[in-house]
Amino acid sequence: MALSLAEYNELAATLESQELDAPNGVPPDAVYEKLLAIYLLQNDVMSAKFLWKRIPASVKQRCPELERLWGVGRVLFTRDRAAVFVVLNSTQWGPNVAPIMAALIESYRERTLELIASAYTSIGLDDVSKLLGQEREAALQKTQALGWDLDAATQMVMPKAFPKEKVHHMPSEKQLERLTEYISFLEKGL
Amino acid sequence: MATALEHLVSEVTSLIGQSKYGDAAKHLQKSRDILSKNSGHLDTVLATLQPQIHTIAVAAVLRARLAAAVPTDSAIDTLHATVAEFVAVCDPEQLIHVQDAMCEMLEEYCRLLVTGGCPMRGIEVINSAILRLQAHNSSHHLTGAHPLLLYLCLASQCLKPAVALLDQQIMDVAKESEGVTVKQFLLYHYYGGMVYTAVKRYGRAHHFFKICISTPALAVSHIMMEAYKKYIIVSLLIDGKVGKLPKCASMVVPRFIRPLCQVYLDLIQAFQSGPESLSQYILQHAPTFTREGNYGLVKQLTSAQFKQCIQKLTRTFLTLSLADVALRVKLQLPKLAQQYLLNMIEDGEIHASINQKDGMVVFKDNPEQYNASDTLDLLHERMERVMEMEKRLVEMEEAIQKNPSYIHKLMGPVDEDMLPQPTASTSAM
């Protein structure tokens, strides 16, 4: 069951209130697992960190999946980008979190690609493959699909910046209405 | 003694029955020790009262009951349920008269939960209590329950509800008779600063600590002193220096609080003299920082220093080799410098592009042109806030101009007859 990001955000809100409403302050283990995984997916490492800290020790012992999930959180927190994929790929996830973690791999790779595009004008193919957690061949394919050139002699990739997202324009009446509001407000002070 | 209690309860319930809420609240306030001396009988009293009808009485009795509570699991379970029900059904009309008792009651409740090791359970209850207390005001109104929510959130390490509360701009504060004492005001800003520090929103944290240390004061407050220490660290984290105290800060801060924070004042010096002296200083004073709960925060200064160094470089150079960056920032490896640059680019803290082929980094200007629609949205949001703030300001000014004691002071010593009669307008206060 792959959900969209918006659906995950909704699910997170439900899980958060389940945690707050839990009769003795401790919700079922699955709530913790899913919430922790979704925080990671949302790139909200701070929330994940505090969730990990407040999960009772007995639950952590009972449910080793949490420890594994936080293993991912830890490398995300220290921004050890190469290690993120190593941890993500080497772990077998339980049914509760497997779809979330699959989505995390995709979104993290996407984010890293964007970062490479904005931070580098040239970068070694080896570094790209490490950052993306993919084999050289797969990484090369990915970059070429984006139209990035490869300097064969130095094995350097030349990333191109991502085109800026299209801006949405609001109707001009609305804009005019807002401007009128501002002007009448500013004039009032004179 | 039990008869005195019975007597009190019957008097108060009859006053409530006649809708003399103010009198009932005053009567209870005067007879607080009758309640606390009879703590054994309070459960029976609670059973006879109905929270939605006898809100005033229940608030006071519950406060006394909670103050005497022992944090055992079963006691917490029952009391938690009682408080939650009370908050859910209490009568807003009566609540106006017992806001201070209500806040004290909630404070006892939070203390019980924290000593019982389950602060998380109270978050929803306090959240709805805040809405109850704000029933006659906007969500920009600071109540006595605000610091309690932050306290529970910090104690349970569940910060999201706290951040949601803090992001609502506070524009006015309940009066002392409504449960907000100076202590509560300071605590709100101190805890608020801590919450924002924990989620690394240092700008907001700085703002909160600053309010805390510039609160008018005649005596030294421990809350203020701790806030001052954190204020120094957070200032250094943001831009490597500590600004002057705000003009409105009390003389207490430079005179009495500063000398007590010498370790932190010297930290500024150490921070500004470079990485070696900083790490040496932190190591040397680690026990102090650890004891005062600031060690984790102080440790973050090390990487903040590197980042600020890199930011300075972007202002001086257009291009620089990675090795040079490492050398100037005093990082051991060019690889490490690249790591820092990458993280900072990701966070939007610098604008640069790395060229691995030549081992160079090019620093760029901020590419933001301020011509996209999100700039307009941002402008709109800020304008809305300013406009709302202005509205509040006008309201407050009107309230002051109608205040008889203000008018009195303004006119100076004049004949009593000359004074404008306090008219209906004073009821606006």
Side-chain angles (χ1 to χ4, degrees):
Chain A
M1 45 137 211
L3 302 173
S4 73
L5 202 60
E7 284 169 309
Y8 276 125
N9 290 345
E10 237 168 78
L11 181 59
T14 322
L15 293 169
E16 277 167 8
S17 60
Q18 271 180 27
E19 192 195 354
L20 287 178
D21 291 337
N24 51 354
V26 182
D29 299 354
V31 171
Y32 282 138
E33 282 179 14
K34 283 189 202 161
L35 195 56
L36 191 55
I38 294 179
Y39 281 152
L40 296 178
L41 174 63
Q42 290 172 333
N43 197 22
D44 190 353
V45 190
M46 287 318 286
S47 295
K49 185 182 118 183
F50 285 112
L51 176 61
W52 168 251
K53 278 175 140 184
R54 69 176 178 259
I55 295 175
S58 58
V59 178
K60 285 180 192 167
Q61 226 161 34
R62 183 165 73 216
C63 179
E65 185 90 323
L66 289 168
E67 172 83 54
R68 289 197 287 271
L69 282 169
W70 178 240
V72 179
R74 199 175 288 128
V75 284
L76 281 175
F77 190 73
T78 52
R79 301 218 214 176
D80 190 346
R81 293 188 178 79
V84 171
F85 287 107
V86 175
V87 180
L88 275 173
N89 288 327
S90 65
T91 318
Q92 201 61 44
W93 301 107
N96 275 331
V97 296
I100 308 176
M101 298 317 270
L104 172 64
I105 294 188
E106 276 316 301
S107 82
Y108 190 73
R109 189 165 287 154
E110 214 38 54
R111 236 180 21 238
T112 313
L113 259 176
E114 272 176 46
L115 177 65
I116 294 175
S118 67
Y120 286 97
T121 48
S122 68
I123 177 171
L125 186 56
D126 287 331
D127 278 351
V128 177
S129 95
K130 239 190 270 168
L131 284 175
L132 295 180
Q134 285 175 322
E135 296 294 320
R136 276 174 66 101
E137 279 310 305
L140 185 61
Q141 262 180 14
K142 190 120 200 166
T143 55
Q144 280 179 336
L146 287 165
W148 297 357
D149 295 329
L150 175 77
D151 185 330
T154 50
Q155 289 292 300
M156 289 274 174
V157 180
M158 315 290 168
K160 291 195 184 109
F162 276 52
K164 265 199 171 176
E165 271 174 44
K166 280 266 181 283
V167 288
H168 58 281
H169 280 292
M170 69 174 137
S172 43
E173 299 101 72
K174 178 90 189 150
Q175 210 161 351
L176 214 57
E177 187 194 317
R178 276 188 186 178
L179 282 174
T180 325
E181 246 175 67
Y182 298 164
I183 298 298
S184 64
F185 168 74
L186 292 170
E187 287 281 312
K188 207 168 63 181
L190 295 177
Chain B
M1 263 311 188
T3 48
L5 182 64
E6 273 168 30
H7 194 62
L8 173 70
V9 171
S10 73
E11 265 181 350
V12 170
T13 45
S14 88
L15 279 172
I16 294 174
Q18 299 160 32
S19 303
K20 290 182 180 163
Y21 298 146
D23 295 340
K26 258 182 231 153
H27 193 55
L28 274 169
Q29 188 63 28
K30 267 187 281 176
S31 336
R32 282 173 72 130
D33 32 322
I34 299 185
L35 289 177
S36 46
K37 273 184 204 147
N38 290 288
S39 56
H41 301 287
L42 293 178
D43 278 332
T44 338
V45 175
L46 275 176
T48 64
L49 296 168
Q50 281 177 298
Q52 61 267 57
I53 301 171
H54 308 118
T55 299
I56 292 176
V58 176
V61 176
L62 208 48
R63 184 194 58 73
R65 176 68 189 84
L66 285 163
V70 198
T72 60
D73 282 351
S74 62
I76 290 177
D77 278 345
T78 6
L79 285 168
H80 167 70
T82 319
V83 175
E85 194 211 344
F86 174 67
V87 169
V89 301
C90 64
D91 174 14
E93 287 308 314
Q94 294 188 40
L95 194 60
I96 303 175
H97 300 276
V98 280
Q99 291 188 46
D100 50 344
M102 173 84 167
C103 292
E104 275 180 60
M105 185 274 282
L106 293 171
E107 199 178 332
E108 293 293 348
Y109 165 68
C110 293
R111 187 190 51 83
L112 181 71
L113 289 184
V114 172
T115 40
C118 51
M120 190 119 181
R121 300 172 70 175
I123 291 177
E124 287 285 278
V125 176
I126 300 292
N127 236 336
S128 42
I130 289 175
L131 293 180
R132 289 269 164 193
L133 289 166
Q134 284 177 337
H136 300 277
N137 286 293
S138 68
S139 58
H140 303 300
H141 185 77
L142 180 69
T143 71
H146 274 74
L148 297 176
L149 183 74
L150 303 184
Y151 174 52
L152 289 183
C153 287
L154 283 166
S156 62
Q157 313 226 27
C158 175
L159 298 177
K160 275 206 163 177
V163 174
L165 182 79
L166 288 164
D167 281 342
Q168 288 169 343
Q169 205 91 29
I170 291 298
M171 292 194 197
D172 70 315
V173 181
K175 292 195 216 46
E176 194 152 336
S177 60
E178 294 164 359
V180 176
T181 56
V182 180
K183 183 181 151 199
Q184 247 102 35
F185 182 83
L186 289 176
L187 275 180
Y188 172 74
H189 289 101
Y190 177 61
Y191 288 152
M194 281 173 73
V195 169
Y196 277 128
T197 310
V199 296
K200 295 193 193 278
R201 284 171 63 181
Y202 296 125
R204 287 288 284 171
H206 186 257
H207 176 68
F208 270 71
F209 287 134
K210 197 166 166 179
I211 295 183
C212 192
I213 59 169
S214 51
T215 304
L218 294 171
V220 177
S221 151
H222 260 276
I223 303 169
M224 237 171 172
M225 188 172 87
E226 293 305 318
Y228 186 64
K229 291 174 185 168
K230 291 192 163 60
Y231 171 78
I232 292 176
I233 306 173
V234 171
S235 299
L236 289 177
L237 279 174
I238 293 174
D239 59 0
K241 52 182 189 282
V242 181
K244 276 196 187 129
L245 280 174
K247 260 190 190 158
C248 51
S250 152
M251 282 310 286
V252 168
V253 180
R255 227 178 260 166
F256 301 110
I257 293 185
R258 270 178 76 105
L260 294 170
C261 304
Q262 200 54 48
V263 175
Y264 293 83
L265 294 169
D266 293 342
L267 179 67
I268 305 173
Q269 191 66 44
F271 183 89
Q272 287 164 349
S273 351
E276 293 96 20
S277 78
L278 178 67
S279 50
Q280 208 179 359
Y281 187 83
I282 293 178
L283 206 65
Q284 187 189 342
H285 292 275
T288 318
F289 292 136
T290 313
R291 194 176 58 240
E292 296 180 351
N294 288 327
Y295 188 54
L297 201 54
V298 169
K299 272 198 305 192
Q300 295 188 34
L301 285 172
T302 325
S303 74
Q305 200 178 37
F306 289 131
K307 283 187 183 180
Q308 286 169 18
C309 243
I310 291 176
Q311 271 171 333
K312 261 187 222 154
L313 291 181
T314 68
R315 272 176 245 140
T316 321
F317 296 94
L318 287 174
T319 57
L320 208 59
S321 74
L322 287 169
D324 258 351
V325 174
L327 195 70
R328 285 177 188 272
V329 182
K330 299 193 178 124
L331 285 164
Q332 274 106 13
L333 293 166
K335 194 100 194 130
L336 215 53
Q338 196 179 327
Q339 180 80 30
Y340 265 99
L341 287 168
L342 196 58
N343 290 345
M344 290 177 75
I345 294 171
E346 187 175 25
D347 295 341
E349 289 168 333
I350 55 167
H351 305 281
S353 52
I354 304 167
N355 185 339
Q356 273 198 347
K357 201 170 159 191
D358 314 326
M360 298 291 278
V361 52
V362 181
F363 297 123
K364 296 184 283 198
D365 287 331
N366 189 346
E368 177 64 80
Q369 301 280 316
Y370 302 105
N371 55 5
S373 66
D374 44 347
T375 313
L376 201 62
D377 289 342
L378 194 71
L379 180 75
H380 179 64
E381 193 198 307
R382 298 265 164 94
M383 279 302 274
E384 296 253 279
R385 247 172 58 190
V386 170
M387 276 147 78
E388 201 180 328
M389 195 98 97
E390 198 253 4
K391 222 170 81 192
R392 275 293 301 152
L393 211 65
V394 172
E395 277 172 25
M396 276 157 80
E397 193 165 336
E398 275 172 14
I400 289 178
Q401 278 175 348
K402 285 179 195 160
N403 187 327
S405 56
Y406 169 75
I407 298 171
H408 190 92
K409 208 152 194 182
L410 203 68
M411 300 203 342
V414 275
D415 249 330
E416 284 294 314
D417 307 338
M418 294 279 287
L419 264 184
Q421 289 303 309
T423 49
S425 62
T426 46
S427 63
M429 303 178 350

